[in-house]
Amino acid sequence: QATIRSQAEAIGRDDGATAYSYAAPGIQQIFQQPDMFMAMVRQNYTAVYRHRRFEFGEARVADGKVAQKVHITDAEGELWEALYTLEPQPDGSLKIAGCVLAKATGA
């Protein structure tokens, strides 16, 4: 949760370098610079970029990877569900390998 929260806070401050630092190597290969990463976040993850509320739900661990649900209320008050995937790194840290975002059921 700390990795996800730290990245979301950095995104909210428009601190691309810090937000990018929490992305797994596979994500960093796709978006090779922090500004490219932030442009993708602003375009595709508006609910994360400008959220009112960010609440952690259920987490599961399988094969060393973590799947973490997050309940998000965006700036307009719309409800979203995010499923983050985190991968362990050689240094023991967890990095975000993906995020699937969808409107909350019934929203």
Side-chain angles (χ1 to χ4, degrees):
Q1 291 180 0
T3 299
I4 296 169
R5 184 175 309 281
S6 295
Q7 185 185 59
E9 289 171 355
I11 287 169
R13 294 190 308 270
D14 288 307
D15 181 352
T18 299
Y20 185 74
S21 75
Y22 291 104
I27 299 298
Q28 290 185 359
Q29 279 186 315
I30 296 167
F31 305 99
Q32 297 184 358
Q33 297 174 13
D35 60 335
M36 293 171 66
F37 175 78
M38 286 298 292
M40 177 275 299
V41 169
R42 283 190 294 273
Q43 183 175 355
N44 299 311
Y45 293 89
T46 306
V48 175
Y49 180 56
R50 293 294 181 247
H51 64 272
R52 282 189 197 168
R53 196 169 123 206
F54 206 81
E55 183 178 299
F56 290 97
E58 180 183 4
R60 292 183 182 208
V61 179
D63 298 324
K65 296 182 181 181
V66 178
Q68 174 68 59
K69 288 185 180 179
V70 180
H71 310 288
I72 300 170
T73 305
D74 70 15
E76 306 301 319
E78 297 287 330
L79 303 178
W80 296 82
E81 298 290 332
L83 180 62
Y84 282 83
T85 305
L86 297 99
E87 297 176 342
Q89 302 303 301
D91 67 1
S93 68
L94 287 173
K95 299 282 184 172
I96 298 169
C99 177
V100 177
L101 185 64
K103 282 261 186 154
T105 304

